[in-house]
Amino acid sequence: MPRRVVVAHPDFGRKLKALREQHGLSLRRLGGMVHCSHGHLWDLESGSKRPSLSVAVLLDQALSAGGQLSAMVSEVSADTNARPGAAEQTAVAMPSGLEFAPDRRHGIDVVVDLWRGDMQRRNLLRQVGFSATAFLPAAMRWLMSSLDERPAGNGERLIGVADVETVRRMTSTSRTLDNQFGGGHIRDSLVRFLNADVTELINGRYDAATGRQLLSAVAETTQLAGWASYDAGMHGLAQRYLIQALRLAAGAGDRALGAEILAAMSHQAAFLRASGEAVDLAKAAGRAAGEAGIAAIEAESAVLEAQGHAVGGNEKACATALNRAEAIFDKADRTSEPQWIGYFDENYLAAKFGHCFTALGRGDIATRFATRSLAMDGRQYARGRQFNLVLLAVAHAQNGEPEESARVGVEAVEAAEGLYSSRARDYLTDLADRLSKHVGLPAVQDFAERARPILASA
């Protein structure tokens, strides 16, 4: 395992002290707000200690700093053979991407720096750490934003409707490939497109009306790059893309897309078993979806809230949220929804119900929903079909049916062939672990042998 170090910008301590004094807070008072000793905060301000990312996020919240402090902190891999301080010097120059910028122009600079950093320092940036709490300041800033910016650009190149349509079509094509082949298949090409083509567009010349359309399109592309990074197992990098996508959506005033991005944040938090943050982000997504009037995203947010509760083992709260999700979905008018929410149908909802019940250890209930989820379009959503096959196999395993679980597991292995998805491997790894105690059964042994090449590629 590579050694990991936490690095902070040299000005972190001075910035922290300035913000604290600006709010008229003593070290002891601030320490009580963020659950740190006042002595530790003194060490941070003096530079004698480095902050953790989670503490930086808490300080951002307490001081209403909009992500300024967490943007100055990174967790990176350090080469033990490098000269002393080399990792720290490299990391200081790396873009953080955790900041929800206070204004649109600053936000464009941050996201362009993230795209550039992903291209130029890819191996290092891919290893940045994930902290579910780092999502919360961005979500709060979104909920507090008036979403009334006038995003005009004054660059040299004139940007028009055709440019916006180019971004949207690239995103649509990439989304199709993502669903069919996995995020690892599209991630690098999408980042190259953002860094080369979209940087020129977003820094171009356009009026406010065109700017809103452009920022909305770019936010969708950036969100997809974050989703692809998440699917490829680059969780810290995915988090940064999602936060910057949310900032772009705010600049565009796109409430529906903002709600969908908050839902994606909740999805990632639940996958990484950050129950509390998953619930909070899902609730934020539901509120944003309600303001946008998009019932499908409201229903999605409710089922994601349920999944967050399920990961935390709260069966009662999970059931309440699932009932709400079903009620909203049944009443939804799907005719006026954005194109990108088209994946959210009865089969997707059934899969999310199934995930909730397997998280609670209720394979008896999950089996019914997992079976229903497989009525999906398996060609258009090949990765989703693989996930749902594993879901059904896990439910059978929980029911004490290892041979049936292994049989379905073999189908899931076959469905994973050709997928470039870390999540697909993770789900298979979990299933293999569950079946390992039954390896004496021929069906389970067959599954283990079929799964071995895919699991070995992780």
Side-chain angles (χ1 to χ4, degrees):
M1 292 290 291
R3 183 170 62 90
R4 307 192 68 78
V5 295
V6 175
V7 295
H9 193 281
D11 289 334
F12 180 91
R14 284 192 291 271
K15 184 67 175 178
L16 171 59
K17 184 176 182 180
L19 288 167
R20 177 178 62 80
E21 292 179 344
Q22 179 182 327
H23 283 75
L25 296 172
S26 66
L27 287 168
R28 190 177 299 277
R29 170 71 172 163
L30 180 59
M33 295 169 67
V34 299
H35 311 293
C36 285
S37 70
H38 65 281
H40 181 66
L41 292 182
W42 187 91
D43 288 336
L44 296 182
E45 289 189 354
S46 67
S48 60
K49 286 188 178 179
R50 299 172 185 165
S52 66
L53 179 57
S54 59
V55 167
V57 169
L58 291 173
L59 289 168
D60 271 329
Q61 292 175 299
L63 297 171
S64 302
Q68 295 179 64
L69 293 171
S70 54
M72 302 173 80
V73 180
S74 298
E75 183 185 55
V76 300
S77 174
D79 181 356
T80 55
N81 296 320
R83 66 185 186 281
E88 289 83 349
Q89 291 170 12
T90 303
V92 167
M94 287 199 329
S96 168
L98 293 174
E99 176 184 2
F100 189 100
D103 61 80
R104 175 187 55 82
R105 185 63 257 177
H106 185 193
I108 288 175
D109 291 341
V110 172
V111 74
V112 167
D113 194 32
L114 178 62
W115 300 336
R116 184 187 306 115
D118 196 354
M119 291 298 300
Q120 297 178 353
R121 296 181 290 277
R122 177 165 296 166
N123 290 337
L124 191 60
L125 191 56
R126 283 179 176 183
Q127 299 176 56
V128 293
F130 173 89
S131 172
T133 56
F135 276 140
L136 301 182
M140 183 177 296
R141 290 294 295 271
W142 167 270
L143 293 175
M144 294 172 59
S145 296
S146 57
L147 305 183
D148 59 356
E149 297 181 50
R150 295 183 57 79
N154 57 3
E156 294 184 5
R157 176 177 168 180
L158 179 62
I159 307 303
V161 174
D163 297 299
V164 176
E165 183 61 21
T166 297
V167 177
R168 293 201 183 281
R169 289 195 181 187
M170 177 66 175
T171 306
S172 178
T173 299
S174 298
R175 193 181 301 282
T176 298
L177 293 173
D178 172 60
N179 286 323
Q180 292 178 340
F181 302 108
H185 181 80
I186 67 156
R187 206 201 82 85
D188 289 355
S189 62
L190 202 59
V191 173
R192 282 194 296 271
F193 174 68
L194 287 166
N195 182 56
D197 299 77
V198 175
T199 294
E200 184 178 358
L201 298 180
I202 207 169
N203 284 318
R205 176 162 49 94
Y206 42 85
D207 60 20
T210 302
R212 281 191 290 271
Q213 295 178 41
L214 178 63
L215 262 62
S216 176
V218 175
E220 189 179 343
T221 313
T222 304
Q223 178 208 13
L224 181 57
W227 188 260
S229 301
Y230 162 30
D231 191 50
M234 305 172 195
H235 292 291
L237 188 52
Q239 178 172 43
R240 286 152 174 79
Y241 271 95
L242 292 177
I243 289 173
Q244 296 316 309
L246 190 66
R247 183 61 187 90
L248 289 166
D254 194 333
R255 295 179 184 276
L257 182 57
E260 178 70 357
I261 295 167
L262 288 166
M265 293 175 173
S266 175
H267 196 295
Q268 186 185 19
F271 181 81
L272 295 174
R273 308 197 67 77
S275 171
E277 289 82 359
V279 170
D280 289 342
L281 290 162
K283 288 180 177 179
R287 176 175 167 182
E291 292 173 350
I294 307 295
I297 307 178
E298 280 193 85
E300 179 187 28
S301 302
V303 79
L304 286 169
E305 179 187 337
Q307 189 167 6
H309 287 306
V311 167
N314 190 334
E315 188 168 355
K316 182 177 180 181
C318 175
T320 300
L322 287 178
N323 289 336
R324 189 168 74 254
E326 193 168 36
I328 296 171
F329 184 83
D330 287 343
K331 296 178 181 178
D333 176 10
R334 308 296 305 271
T335 58
S336 59
E337 293 168 355
Q339 173 269 335
W340 40 255
I341 193 64
Y343 68 87
F344 190 76
D345 58 12
E346 293 87 349
N347 304 314
Y348 185 93
L349 189 66
K352 299 307 289 182
F353 272 57
H355 279 290
C356 288
F357 287 115
T358 55
L360 292 168
R362 295 299 305 273
D364 54 329
I365 303 175
T367 303
R368 181 171 75 254
F369 289 105
T371 301
R372 187 186 307 172
S373 75
L374 289 169
M376 64 187 297
D377 183 343
R379 295 185 63 184
Q380 183 178 2
Y381 299 105
R383 180 184 55 196
R385 179 175 178 275
Q386 193 272 345
F387 291 172
N388 294 352
L389 283 167
V390 177
L391 173 65
L392 179 59
V394 168
H396 282 304
Q398 289 182 340
N399 291 338
E401 301 163 345
E403 291 179 300
E404 182 63 15
S405 175
R407 185 193 66 77
V408 178
V410 168
E411 290 188 58
V413 170
E414 293 172 348
E417 294 171 356
L419 286 180
Y420 192 171
S421 168
S422 177
R423 285 190 294 160
R425 290 195 302 271
D426 289 345
Y427 286 137
L428 281 174
T429 298
D430 174 65
L431 178 60
D433 289 343
R434 292 173 184 271
L435 291 176
S436 60
K437 58 187 175 184
H438 303 288
V439 73
L441 296 174
V444 174
Q445 191 169 17
D446 180 44
F447 163 75
E449 292 173 358
R450 296 285 296 274
R452 189 173 295 114
I454 292 177
L455 301 184
S457 68

